[in-house]
């Protein structure tokens, strides 16, 4: 928070608070400090003595005079944690560290401290068994007649120091909760055929104080008889409260875990139910056991509320275990959320599982650590962060579960005060693990006063004997003015005010100061310094560039930027340096632009980049990139020197077998190598501004033909042509012969036909003709 206020002058809550005293300054914000130095600040300035301590130091306030109290804590008692609970050291067992601390709190300024808790091994246990003896619990009473011996055997596996006590309850012996007719006074079961005899109704009866003689428990249980009440709910909450607050009679030890087992098969009566029987007085939370160890106020006060019950259980470090039947489990489970340190277990109909139930509940209790706060002052904020056995901090939690005996858990507790109580007020509170006797006492005092206040002097000579000097300032008596009470009010009139105006008609002290004793005392501004004879100047009203005063390259003097060396312009944003415009080849803007205010403005069409080094469409683009291809791929060319090549050729080069030339966004480049080969590559620019060159792996070179190959090709061609012509000639002859033979066959057929038809002389002529043809 302090950093955020320091990062911007416009957020300086200290100077904008207009504090007129050290105490007022401390209340504005926890990061504000006061300068009590007498000669602090510049002359003729209304100095704000309330500011961040860093600012006060910069403005000339010496450290001893800066009032900036911080919150803190100090250990008052810090005995180390114990590991074992029984034995000769059982009365000095420590389960919480530290045991006492002191906090000094400045309002709004947080401080934190750490609390460690370790449930020790073999810690003493006091268990008080509180049983419902209404008629429905008759079978349960039979089951627990030997409970003491068996329970002691199981509990001694967990602790070597175990004590057991016993009490019982039914309900208030008034209508409508119980049978009150005369015939039921001595025997409420009178006329009830299933169980005709029982003892008179009672509220709570303490039967056996806590003892390590478990046979006494068995004896006392065997004497008990059930009773009977009218409605279903029981008066068990009366009994729980009496068992909690009657510490001496019950016998609770200070150095022991206190377990109160509440066994019932029905729901409880709650506060306000007593009004049905005319009981309008709320429970007073006190012990009311008479000489017979019976609850004497059962018919005089209402049932206790859940809040009162939870308070008394926590106050006396008692873990309450509800042992209830299954059909009422949900109800009692909901009650555990309202009563800290309470668990619930399901009891069988005849209580046969009571021993295992108690052991399970005890283990469940011992596996948890939960912090509670007592007497919490309303003006304090507390925030908890738990660090359990896994070592991970859990913000907002004050509880750890699933612990093993001997595990140490820690809690970081942050405290801050919301305000200042009356002077001299000291407060405190207590932090205690639920159910533990151990506790941490926290005392609190408030740091709302300044030490310089103790040296206040009235009628001080520093104030011309007309004021009170306190913490570096004069508080003038009525009728006196000035930083040192040097002027009287009558001396300040219109004529004297004119000395504080720059010109007639102008505001007094330019509206940014006060006229005191004929001179201007300028206000302090959260934006900067106001100065001048008439407060006409400041160091924050100059031109800005991108929100930065004088671009950060100059100083503001009375509204005008005075630029540092190397910068020009109204707001000092223009650099005269050209080094940032030099490209890798040493040229300014790569010869494609001009350097303006330390940045290149490219003039060549298509050129871009910080130094105009990128220009795929420029005429010399291929020539420039060719040198990088030669030196990077083949170590040849003008840039073959490694250092020069690496410095000037930083583009990505990709080699391929076949070059794609169909991309309209790339420039195709071709050049002839020293070996009369042709090298091809493309040049493109990615969206991120990176140049990419894609080149063939090797240049394309022409290859001379082999002489023997040429000779064989010529001879082969001639032979092939001869064979082809011969084949054509043969084909023509064959076709001609076949045609002539066809004619002969046709003529011969006709001649045979005519010999049959004509005379011999005709046949002879035909023969002669055939001979002529063949000849």
């Amino acid at each position: 928070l302090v950093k955020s206020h320091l990062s911007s002058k416009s957020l300086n809550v200290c100077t904008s608070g207009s504090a007129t005293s050290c105490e007022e300054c401390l209340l504005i914000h926890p990061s504000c400090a006061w300068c009590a130095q007498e000669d602090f600040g510049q002359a003729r300035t209304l100095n704000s003595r309330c500011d961040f301590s860093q600012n006060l130091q910069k403005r000339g306030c010496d450290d001893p005079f800066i009032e900036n109290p911080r919150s803190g804590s100090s250990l008052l008692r810090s005995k180390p944690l114990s590991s074992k609970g029984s034995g000769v050291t059982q009365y000095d067992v420590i389960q919480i560290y530290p045991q006492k601390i002191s906090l000094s709190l400045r309002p709004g300024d947080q401080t934190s401290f750490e609390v460690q808790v370790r449930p020790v091994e073999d810690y003493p246990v006091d268990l008080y068994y509180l049983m419902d003896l209404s008629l429905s619990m008759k079978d349960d009473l039979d089951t627990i007649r030997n409970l003491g011996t068996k329970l002691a055997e199981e509990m001694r596996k967990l602790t070597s120091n175990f004590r057991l006590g016993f009490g019982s309850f039914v309900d208030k012996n008034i209508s409508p909760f119980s049978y009150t007719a005369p015939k039921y006074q001595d025997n409420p079961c009178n006329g009830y055929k299933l169980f005709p005899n029982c003892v008179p109704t009672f509220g709570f009866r303490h039967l056996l104080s806590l003892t390590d003689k478990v046979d006494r428990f068995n004896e006392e249980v065997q004497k008990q008889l059930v009773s009977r009440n009218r409605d279903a709910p029981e008066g068990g909450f009366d009994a729980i409260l009496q068992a909690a607050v009657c510490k001496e009679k019950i016998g609770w030890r200070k150095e022991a875990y206190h377990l109160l087992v509440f066994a019932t098969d029905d729901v409880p009566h709650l506060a306000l139910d007593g009004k049905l029987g005319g009981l309008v007085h709320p429970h007073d939370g006190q012990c009311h056991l008479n000489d017979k160890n019976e609850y004497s106020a059962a018919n005089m006060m209402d049932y206790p509320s859940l809040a009162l019950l939870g308070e008394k259980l926590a106050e006396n470090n008692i873990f309450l275990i509800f042992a209830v039947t299954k059909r009422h489990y949900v109800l009692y489970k909901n009650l555990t959320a309202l009563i800290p340190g309470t668990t619930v277990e399901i009891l069988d109909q005849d209580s046969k599982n009571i021993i295992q139930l108690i052991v399970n509940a005890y283990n469940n209790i011992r596996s948890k650590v939960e912090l509670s706060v007592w007497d919490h002052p309303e003006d304090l904020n507390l925030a908890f962060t738990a660090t359990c056995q896994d070592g991970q901090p859990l913000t907002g939690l004050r509880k750890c579960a699933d612990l093993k005996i001997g595990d140490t858990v820690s809690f970081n507790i942050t405290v801050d005060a919301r305000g200042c109580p009356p002077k001299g007020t000291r407060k405190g509170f207590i932090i205690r693990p639920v159910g533990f006797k151990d506790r941490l006492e926290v005392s609190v005092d408030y740091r709302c006063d300044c030490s310089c206040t103790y040296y206040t002097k009235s009628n001080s000579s520093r104030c011309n004997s007309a004021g009170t000097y306190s913490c570096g300032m004069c508080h003038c008596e009525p009728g006196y003015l000035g930083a040192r009470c040097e002027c009287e009010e009558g001396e300040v009139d219109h004529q004297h005010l004119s000395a504080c105006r720059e010109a007639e008609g102008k505001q007094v002290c330019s509206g940014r100061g006060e006229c005191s004793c004929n001179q201007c005392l300028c206000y302090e501004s959260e934006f900067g310094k106001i100065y001048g004879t008439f407060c006409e100047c400041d160091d924050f009203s100059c031109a800005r560039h991108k929100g930065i005063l004088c671009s950060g390259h100059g100083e503001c003097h009375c509204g005008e930027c005075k630029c540092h060396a190397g910068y020009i312009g109204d707001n000092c944003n223009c650099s005269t340096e050209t080094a940032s415009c030099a490209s890798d080849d040493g040229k300014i803007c790569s010869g494609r632009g001009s350097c303006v205010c330390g940045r290149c403005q490219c003039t060549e069409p298509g050129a871009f980049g910080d130094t105009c080094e990128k220009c795929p469409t420029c005429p010399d683009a291929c020539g420039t990139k060719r040198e990088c291809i030669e030196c990077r791929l083949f170590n040849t060319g003008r840039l073959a020197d490694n250092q020069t090549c690496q410095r000037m050729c930083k583009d990505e080069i990709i080699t391929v077998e076949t070059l794609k030339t169909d991309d309209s966004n790339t420039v195709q480049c071709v050049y002839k190598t020293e070996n009369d080969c042709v090298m091809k590559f493309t040049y493109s620019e990615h969206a991120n501004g990176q140049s990419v060159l894609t080149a063939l792996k090797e240049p394309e070179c022409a290859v001379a033909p082999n002489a023997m190959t040429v000779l064989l090709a010529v001879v082969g061609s001639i032979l092939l042509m001869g064979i082809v012509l011969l084949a054509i000639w043969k084909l023509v002859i064959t076709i001609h012969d076949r045609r002539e033979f066809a004619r002969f066959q046709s003529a011969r057929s006709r001649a045979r036909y005519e010999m049959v038809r004509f005379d011999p002389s005709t046949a002879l002529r035909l023969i002669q003709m055939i001979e002529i043809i063949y000849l």
Side-chain angles (χ1 to χ4, degrees):
L1 186 59
V2 175
K3 289 183 179 178
S4 67
H5 287 301
L6 290 173
S7 63
S8 173
K9 291 181 180 179
S10 62
L11 295 177
N12 192 328
V13 295
C14 304
T15 57
S16 62
S18 302
T20 58
S21 69
C22 184
E23 283 75 12
E24 286 182 12
C25 178
L26 299 186
L27 287 174
I28 291 175
H29 192 272
S31 60
C32 295
W34 179 269
C35 180
Q37 187 170 314
E38 181 180 0
D39 58 350
F40 171 69
Q42 297 179 349
R44 303 182 62 184
T45 303
L46 292 172
N47 297 299
S48 175
R49 294 178 175 270
C50 185
D51 203 342
F52 301 117
S53 57
Q54 296 92 324
N55 292 349
L56 292 176
Q57 290 172 342
K58 290 178 181 177
R59 290 163 52 198
C61 187
D62 297 333
D63 285 346
F65 296 98
I66 294 179
E67 298 278 349
N68 188 23
R70 312 312 308 165
S71 296
S73 62
S74 58
L75 296 176
L76 301 181
R77 187 165 62 247
S78 55
K79 295 181 180 179
L81 293 169
S82 303
S83 298
K84 197 171 180 64
S86 295
V88 294
T89 61
Q90 72 179 63
Y91 300 107
D92 296 319
V93 172
I94 304 297
Q95 298 183 99
I96 189 171
Y97 175 90
Q99 297 81 45
K100 190 173 184 179
I101 65 171
S102 174
L103 300 180
S104 295
L105 300 180
R106 174 180 172 178
D109 185 29
Q110 294 181 344
T111 189
S112 60
F113 57 92
E114 187 176 274
V115 175
Q116 294 182 341
V117 180
R118 179 193 294 164
V120 299
E121 181 184 354
D122 195 26
Y123 199 69
V125 175
D126 288 347
L127 189 150
Y128 192 80
Y129 193 84
L130 186 58
M131 185 174 181
D132 179 0
L133 282 187
S134 60
L135 189 58
S136 59
M137 292 288 285
K138 181 180 181 302
D139 55 344
D140 301 81
L141 182 61
D142 296 335
T143 302
I144 70 164
R145 293 196 185 276
N146 295 312
L147 174 65
T149 304
K150 297 177 182 178
L151 182 58
E153 290 175 357
E154 291 298 323
M155 290 301 294
R156 284 189 177 120
K157 296 177 183 178
L158 304 174
T159 175
S160 61
N161 194 336
F162 175 69
R163 299 197 311 169
L164 190 59
F166 181 61
S168 62
F169 67 90
V170 182
D171 206 345
K172 296 181 183 296
N173 193 17
I174 58 174
S175 181
F177 312 119
S178 298
Y179 295 95
T180 56
K183 68 175 183 178
Y184 296 121
Q185 288 298 314
D186 296 328
N187 182 13
C189 296
N190 187 7
Y192 185 62
K193 295 181 180 179
L194 296 177
F195 194 79
N197 295 307
C198 56
V199 299
T201 305
F202 58 91
F204 165 65
R205 186 174 291 159
H206 169 53
L207 300 170
L208 178 66
S209 297
L210 291 162
T211 178
D212 55 1
K213 297 178 175 59
V214 294
D215 291 340
R216 288 281 314 281
F217 179 90
N218 296 339
E219 292 172 6
E220 200 61 45
V221 170
Q222 289 172 3
K223 295 178 185 178
Q224 302 309 308
L225 297 173
V226 293
S227 183
R228 186 186 183 200
N229 60 323
R230 173 175 286 178
D231 60 351
E234 319 291 4
F237 278 11
D238 270 342
I240 291 174
L241 186 63
Q242 292 304 298
V245 298
C246 299
K247 296 181 287 185
E248 290 78 12
K249 291 196 174 185
I250 301 298
W252 297 115
R253 292 177 294 179
K254 185 178 180 181
E255 295 80 15
Y257 277 114
H258 302 159
L259 305 184
L260 178 57
V261 179
F262 178 80
T264 184
D265 65 347
D266 223 317
V267 298
H269 275 298
L270 301 175
L272 301 182
D273 285 358
K275 290 188 175 182
L276 296 173
L279 304 179
V280 296
H281 295 289
H283 205 291
D284 60 5
Q286 301 300 316
C287 176
H288 294 282
L289 290 184
N290 58 24
D291 295 339
K292 297 180 180 179
N293 286 331
E294 291 186 358
Y295 179 37
S296 60
N299 298 342
M300 293 185 289
M301 288 186 295
D302 194 5
Y303 299 98
S305 66
L306 291 176
L308 178 62
L309 203 61
E311 177 186 339
K312 294 303 177 181
L313 288 170
E315 187 179 298
N316 295 283
N317 306 320
I318 294 175
F319 289 107
L320 177 61
I321 302 171
F322 286 126
V324 299
T325 52
K326 187 174 182 179
R327 66 193 183 100
H328 297 303
Y329 176 81
V330 175
L331 169 67
Y332 283 92
K333 183 67 175 177
N334 292 335
L335 293 179
T336 63
L338 303 173
I339 307 176
T342 306
T343 60
V344 59
E345 299 287 343
I346 297 177
L347 181 69
D348 288 348
Q349 289 295 334
D350 58 357
S351 296
K352 63 184 178 182
N353 70 327
I354 187 65
I355 293 178
Q356 189 58 46
L357 180 152
I358 292 173
V359 172
N360 290 344
Y362 174 75
N363 288 331
N364 186 32
I365 290 169
R366 292 282 275 157
S367 68
K368 297 177 183 176
V369 169
E370 181 177 3
L371 297 186
S372 61
V373 181
W374 291 78
D375 302 326
H376 181 190
E378 293 183 358
D379 61 345
L380 296 186
N381 295 322
L382 271 68
F384 291 79
T385 298
T387 303
C388 302
Q389 64 274 24
D390 59 358
Q392 297 297 320
L394 302 171
T395 304
L397 292 184
R398 59 172 79 181
K399 179 179 180 180
C400 287
D402 301 324
L403 303 178
K404 296 179 182 177
I405 301 300
D407 283 349
T408 303
V409 295
S410 62
F411 301 87
N412 185 274
I413 304 171
T414 301
V415 187
D416 70 271
R418 292 193 293 270
C420 283
K423 274 190 176 182
T425 300
R426 290 183 66 89
K427 296 183 179 181
F429 56 94
I430 293 171
I431 295 176
R432 189 167 62 190
V434 174
F436 288 58
K437 75 172 181 65
D438 305 76
R439 65 184 193 172
L440 167 63
E441 298 177 13
V442 182
S443 61
V444 180
D445 69 272
Y446 297 79
R447 306 200 67 179
C448 298
D449 299 329
C450 298
S451 58
C452 59
T453 306
Y454 300 123
Y455 304 100
T456 298
K457 187 176 182 181
S458 58
N459 298 320
S460 172
S461 59
R462 294 171 175 170
C463 304
N464 292 294
S465 300
T468 300
Y469 181 82
S470 178
C471 294
M473 289 184 66
C474 283
H475 299 278
C476 301
E477 294 179 1
Y480 290 88
L481 301 172
R484 292 289 176 261
C485 307
E486 65 270 29
C487 298
E488 295 187 36
E489 285 187 8
E491 297 177 0
V492 182
D493 53 21
H494 179 76
Q495 181 179 356
H496 289 89
L497 288 177
S498 62
C500 296
R501 287 191 176 94
E502 189 175 4
E504 189 65 32
K506 292 288 185 77
Q507 287 183 300
V508 174
C509 299
S510 303
R512 303 199 294 181
E514 294 180 2
C515 187
S516 177
C517 300
N518 302 323
Q519 65 177 358
C520 285
L521 298 180
C522 303
Y523 297 133
E524 278 202 349
S525 171
E526 57 192 40
F527 299 105
K529 175 185 173 184
I530 299 174
Y531 60 97
T533 305
F534 306 101
C535 304
E536 72 278 12
C537 294
D538 61 58
D539 61 358
F540 53 83
S541 295
C542 293
R544 298 172 181 263
H545 178 66
K546 294 183 178 180
I548 301 175
L549 189 68
C550 297
S551 305
H553 303 305
E555 303 295 335
C556 182
H557 292 285
C558 206
E560 183 180 352
C561 284
K562 302 296 183 182
C563 300
H564 298 156
Y567 290 92
I568 58 174
D570 293 339
N571 53 16
C572 304
N573 70 320
C574 189
S575 173
T576 59
E577 295 291 329
T578 59
S580 58
C581 296
S583 56
D584 291 337
D585 59 3
K587 297 180 181 179
I588 298 298
C589 300
S590 304
R592 298 169 179 153
S594 56
C595 188
V596 179
C597 293
R599 300 187 65 181
C600 283
Q601 292 186 356
C602 304
T603 55
E604 182 77 25
F608 64 99
D610 292 339
T611 58
C612 305
E613 75 280 5
K614 303 179 186 300
C615 185
T617 59
C618 289
D620 61 341
C622 287
T624 302
K625 300 303 179 183
R626 165 189 172 176
E627 295 176 339
C628 291
I629 293 288
E630 288 178 333
C631 74
R632 288 274 297 277
L633 294 185
F634 309 113
N635 196 28
T636 60
R638 185 176 65 87
L639 304 178
D641 175 30
N642 285 335
Q643 292 183 353
T644 305
C645 186
Q646 294 299 323
R647 178 174 56 82
M648 297 187 62
C649 299
K650 299 177 181 178
D651 301 332
E652 180 183 3
I653 299 179
I654 302 172
T655 57
V656 296
E657 296 287 349
T658 304
L659 199 63
K660 295 182 179 180
T661 59
D662 54 352
D663 189 349
S664 59
N665 295 323
T666 63
V667 176
Q668 300 174 20
C669 302
V670 179
Y671 70 90
K672 193 173 183 181
T673 67
E674 298 174 353
N675 300 328
D676 292 332
C677 297
V678 175
M679 185 62 188
K680 298 179 180 179
F681 66 93
T682 61
Y683 167 34
S684 62
E685 294 286 345
H686 281 188
N688 60 7
Q690 183 182 16
S691 300
V692 178
L693 304 176
T694 305
L696 293 174
K697 286 186 176 180
E698 297 291 340
E700 296 179 351
C701 299
V703 181
N706 186 276
M708 183 58 70
T709 302
V710 174
L711 180 60
L712 291 175
V714 173
V715 172
S717 299
I718 295 173
L719 289 174
L720 181 61
M721 289 178 62
I723 292 171
V724 170
L725 290 174
L726 216 65
I728 293 172
W729 177 80
K730 179 65 176 175
L731 179 61
V732 171
I733 295 299
T734 302
I735 294 172
H736 179 268
D737 287 350
R738 287 183 177 178
R739 285 180 179 175
E740 290 300 327
F741 183 72
R743 286 197 192 115
F744 167 71
Q745 289 286 25
S746 176
R748 187 177 179 184
S749 297
R750 287 197 303 270
R752 186 177 298 129
Y753 174 75
E754 288 179 357
M755 285 177 67
V756 177
R757 186 176 178 184
F758 300 110
D759 57 10
S761 59
T762 302
L764 180 59
R765 285 198 299 272
L766 287 172
I767 293 169
Q768 289 176 349
M769 289 176 62
I770 293 170
E771 289 177 350
I772 292 171
I773 292 171
Y774 277 96
L775 292 176

